[in-house]
């Protein structure tokens, strides 16, 4: 998968993917090692079902008060994405309008 990170197209590597059943602590470690500071949550069919950022994790931890939760508890299910048929300009416009740093590009 590719994503647009701060208006640049980047290849997303496998270390940027998690599953909603994964422990949140592991996702925090992955996020710390991840250059773009976002994780993509996929299901068994490898479809994108959510995203996780530092902010999502902070809000979840403040709400739950526990680290013994899963990625699915913190993930953003209402994420923005674009199709690979869209232009970079269309992605840029969405990112500026919505205040996004990243947007996944789906095929």
């Amino acid at each position: 998968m590719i994503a647009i990170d701060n208006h640049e197209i980047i290849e997303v590597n496998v270390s940027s993917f998690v599953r909603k059943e994964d422990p949140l602590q592991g996702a925090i470690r992955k996020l710390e090692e991840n250059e773009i500071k976002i994780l993509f949550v996929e299901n068994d069919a490898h479809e994108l079902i959510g995203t996780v950022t530092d902010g999502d994790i902070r809000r979840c931890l403040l709400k739950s008060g526990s680290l013994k939760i899963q990625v699915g508890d913190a993930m953003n299910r209402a994420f923005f994405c674009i199709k690979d048929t869209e232009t970079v300009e269309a992605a840029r416009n969405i990112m500026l309008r919505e205040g996004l740093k990243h947007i996944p590009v789906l095929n």
Side-chain angles (χ1 to χ4, degrees), residues 9-29:
I9 297 173
I10 58 165
E11 185 72 32
V12 176
N13 64 37
V14 71
S15 67
S16 298
F17 288 90
V18 292
R19 297 168 127 350
K20 68 179 185 175
E21 302 83 15
D22 289 348
L24 191 61
Q25 282 184 307
I28 292 170
R29 280 188 207 94

Side-chain angles (χ1 to χ4, degrees), residues 43-92:
N43 63 15
D44 291 337
H46 302 290
E47 298 166 324
L48 185 63
I49 60 170
T51 61
V52 179
T53 64
D54 284 334
D56 297 324
I57 291 171
R58 272 193 313 276
R59 285 184 289 279
C60 185
L61 290 174
L62 286 171
K63 184 178 177 181
S64 74
S66 172
L67 275 174
K68 296 182 187 252
I69 53 179
Q70 297 177 329
V71 168
D73 298 317
M75 78 178 188
N76 177 5
R77 291 172 173 83
F79 59 93
F80 287 89
C81 63
I82 62 168
K83 295 282 188 184
D84 60 359
T85 56
E86 295 288 331
T87 65
V88 173
E89 184 65 24
R92 182 183 166 283

Side-chain angles (χ1 to χ4, degrees), residues 1-4 9-12 40 84 103-106:
M1 182 173 83
I2 61 172
I4 299 178
I9 297 173
I10 58 165
E11 185 72 32
V12 176
F40 301 100
D84 60 359
I103 191 164
V105 181
L106 307 177

